[in-house]
Structure formats: C-alpha cells, structure tokens
Amino acid sequence: MKALVLSGGAGTRLRPITHTSAKQLVPVANKSVLFYGLESIAAAGITQVGVIVGDTAAEIEDAVGDGSKFGLEVTYIPQERPLGLAHAVLIARDWLGDDDFVMYLGDNFIVGGIADLVDGFRRNRPDAQILLTRVPDPRSFGVAELDDAGQVVGLEEKPEHPKSDLALVGVYLFTPVIHEAVRAIGPSWRGELEITHAIQHLIDRHADVRSTVIKGYWKDTGNVDDMLEVNRTVLESLGRRIDGDVDTASETVGRVVVEEGARIVNSRIVGPVVVGAGTVVSDSYVGPFTSIAENCRITDSEVEFSIVLRNSSIHGVGRIESSLIGRHVEVTPAPSVPSAHRLVLGDHSKVQIHT
C-alpha cells in the first residue's frame, strides 16, 4: 500500500504567511503540520509516499528530503496548477501503479493517526473508504449523505444546501478502481476535478464505497483560527521538560517545554507552552497555548494563545494574543504621536475637549 500526500495549493486563507511559506510547513507546537501527517503514515506501516508539490516544491523538498528521517521513501510529483484532488490522483497514476493507496491532505490534522483505519481497509478492502466528521456548518466541505443503513448514497462538494452535517475529512483510501473514475469525470463549476465526483461515479456504478465517522479530533488547518486551535490541542498533550536555562528570577508553571539552548530570564511562563532552541525570553510573560519557535527574542512583552515562527522578535509591545507571527518578523512599539485636534468650527460654536 502506498500514500499520496497533497502538498500543493496556494494557501490563500493563511496569507500573508503563505506568500513566503508553504501552508503545510506552518508549525504547530514547533513542528510542521505536514510532518504530523507523514509520521501518521509511517506509523500505519506505509513506507512509499508520493508527495504532490506545486509552487512551493523547493521548500517542501528541502523540509522533507528523501523521507528517511520519517522512515519513508518519498517521491515528488509536480502539479503545475492546483486543479483538484482527483487531478492529483490522475497525475500520480504512473507512480501509484496498481497499488491500493491512502490519499492524505498535507494540511489536515488528525489526533490518533490513521493506523487503525489503514488496518481495517487492508482487511476488508472495499473499493473506496471515506472518513467523515460532524461539523456545525458543512457548506465549506465535501458533504456525504448516508441512507438508514449507513451506506454512502451521495456526495456533494461545498453544497449551498447540505443534505447532512457529515463533512469529508482529508483522508481517503482507494483501490485502483479509482483511476477509471477520475478519468471519467469532468471539471466542476470551480474548474477542478473533484474527488467527490470521482467517488460519486463509483457509487453510481454500485462500487463498494464505505465510510467511517471519526470520533477523534480533526482539523483542516487552512486558516489562522484553525491553526491556533490545532496548536492548542497539541500543546495540551505536552509533558513538562526543561532542557534550556531558566534563571532564579523566572517561574515556569505547568506543562512547559524549554528546548536546549533556550534561555528564560526574569520571566513567567505558564503552560502549556513550548520555547524553541536558541530563543531568549526576558522580562516577559508567555501564557498558555503558545509556541515560540527557535532563535526568537521576546523582551518586555506578553504573549498568549499564539504561534511565533523562527527568527522573530517581539520587544516592548505589551500584550499579544490569538496571533500568528511569521518568520524573521520584528514587532516593536510605534513611535509616540503628539496629541492634537484639527477643527473647522462655524461662528458662535462651543466645543469641549478632554485633555
């Protein structure tokens, strides 16, 4: 069995971060989202992985390499433009051959991994298996309709009027029958080859398409709020570990990780928090659900429920919260501006001004 990991796409909902970085490489708890997926694939006993790459191919390849650090053998498959999930299957046809495969969206995060799902698929080997989860507003997702017996009878992509609250999670399992389906469909109104249409093609031809409603945590980390939420979830599983230097004037409370080479000076850190190697936090407060990457400088500031990427500095700006701060960023106080009032008053006016 192989894995096809999708790591193309522009990541428009994470701009401006993704103007200069691949969305799959934005870190949660100081590890790229993509890496969690690759680790899940390796834990499921899959070693051959094809990675679909687009405009950020060089950055993805530099980060993942040949896959050996994950216990994987990685092949990169270029996609000129993001033309849909089914298009990714189409262009990976030669590499996939006649093997079963799991397709994993590289910006998705599933707590608990996929090992049990892969094992079940190997045992039962339906033509296709989809993962579903209940969401409050399914209009932004692919949506599945099940009959009374729990059988998949229909799929829609981002419907205006969803027939259920069951959204497709970004992990799919397929036998080679999917290849005929992706060749049979045409582009949707979005100009893309939709994987939902390909699976519907299988359903219409009475293929064995099964579903699993997952009860664990899943997130599509496509926007800032979801990225911060996943960061919070991962940090909640941290154990306390202090490998760096914490001076006697500082306090660390709860599940705090201070990586080797980091320094905490005259500061208070309240976990769950992770502070990356080479980072210096001085005269500051870092609050819960915050991850600070390597080689950052936090001085005379407060940071909470935020992600700070590597080589960035925050100095003297009071409190920052619910923020995603990119690489090589400098956050400093704005220059003070003299207070002034500009007035255009008619005759006989009376004005009261607070000074």
Side-chain angles (χ1 to χ4, degrees):
M1 192 169 187
K2 294 178 178 177
L4 187 65
V5 177
L6 275 60
S7 294
T12 54
R13 292 179 294 161
L14 274 174
R15 287 177 178 168
I17 297 292
T18 49
H19 279 308
T20 54
S21 179
K23 64 178 180 177
Q24 298 85 3
L25 295 181
V26 177
V28 294
N30 286 2
K31 181 164 66 177
S32 299
V33 172
L34 175 61
F35 291 2
Y36 291 98
L38 293 175
E39 290 170 355
S40 292
I41 288 166
I46 299 170
T47 57
Q48 295 185 64
V49 178
V51 179
I52 302 290
V53 291
D55 292 342
T56 59
E59 188 181 12
I60 296 288
E61 292 181 28
D62 183 61
V64 176
D66 63 2
S68 57
K69 63 185 175 183
F70 304 100
L72 303 171
E73 301 171 16
V74 170
T75 299
Y76 295 98
I77 303 168
Q79 185 182 36
E80 290 185 6
R81 289 187 297 147
L83 295 175
L85 305 188
H87 181 260
V89 176
L90 192 67
I91 64 173
R93 177 68 178 93
D94 289 343
W95 180 81
L96 288 167
D98 291 327
D99 291 308
D100 296 349
F101 66 98
V102 55
M103 184 168 72
Y104 197 116
L105 275 59
D107 59 355
N108 275 228
F109 184 89
I110 300 176
V111 170
I114 60 171
D116 290 344
L117 295 162
V118 170
D119 288 344
F121 183 81
R122 283 172 166 149
R123 285 194 306 271
N124 302 314
R125 205 165 179 266
D127 294 312
Q129 184 161 350
I130 58 176
L131 273 61
L132 306 173
T133 189
R134 298 191 183 278
V135 296
D137 184 1
R139 290 176 298 176
S140 299
F141 303 93
V143 176
E145 181 185 4
L146 308 183
D147 63 18
D148 292 339
Q151 185 69 31
V152 184
V153 295
L155 298 175
E156 294 180 284
E157 186 64 33
K158 297 180 173 61
E160 183 64 28
H161 303 288
K163 295 179 180 178
S164 80
D165 62 352
L166 292 169
L168 275 77
V169 174
V171 177
Y172 307 79
L173 299 107
F174 296 117
T175 63
V177 299
I178 192 64
H179 296 301
E180 185 276 328
V182 299
R183 291 194 302 270
I185 62 173
S188 68
W189 62 270
R190 301 193 304 165
E192 298 185 2
L193 294 177
E194 310 285 3
I195 197 66
T196 48
H197 292 179
I199 299 171
Q200 184 66 53
H201 179 86
L202 295 179
I203 294 169
D204 293 343
R205 280 149 186 79
H206 307 292
D208 185 5
V209 177
R210 303 184 189 181
S211 67
T212 299
V213 179
I214 63 171
K215 296 180 174 59
Y217 181 86
W218 163 80
K219 273 289 183 183
D220 170 2
T221 59
N223 61 50
V224 173
D225 288 343
D226 287 341
M227 186 68 69
L228 293 173
E229 177 65 18
V230 170
N231 191 62
R232 180 193 66 78
T233 300
V234 176
L235 288 175
E236 283 182 333
S237 66
L238 282 182
R240 181 178 173 85
R241 178 166 53 85
I242 308 295
D243 294 333
D245 296 326
V246 179
D247 73 1
T248 56
S250 297
E251 181 184 18
T252 59
V253 180
R255 291 165 291 170
V256 174
V257 173
V258 180
E259 299 286 359
E260 186 175 357
R263 292 193 296 124
I264 311 298
V265 180
N266 193 35
S267 298
R268 189 167 192 259
I269 315 294
V270 179
V273 166
V274 58
V275 179
T279 286
V280 178
V281 179
S282 60
D283 303 304
S284 295
Y285 165 79
V286 179
F289 310 120
T290 300
S291 58
I292 302 172
E294 64 272 19
N295 300 317
C296 293
R297 296 292 181 270
I298 312 294
T299 308
D300 192 26
S301 300
E302 297 183 2
V303 185
E304 187 169 280
F305 192 52
S306 295
I307 299 173
V308 182
L309 276 60
R310 67 177 185 266
N311 300 111
S312 291
S313 65
I314 300 171
H315 174 73
V317 294
R319 188 174 184 84
I320 291 174
E321 62 182 25
S322 303
S323 298
L324 175 57
I325 296 173
R327 301 171 297 180
H328 301 279
V329 169
E330 295 182 6
V331 182
T332 57
S336 59
V337 178
S339 177
H341 303 282
R342 182 173 182 268
L343 305 174
V344 178
L345 303 174
D347 296 346
H348 308 292
S349 296
K350 292 183 179 181
V351 178
Q352 294 180 329
I353 296 176
H354 290 286
T355 59

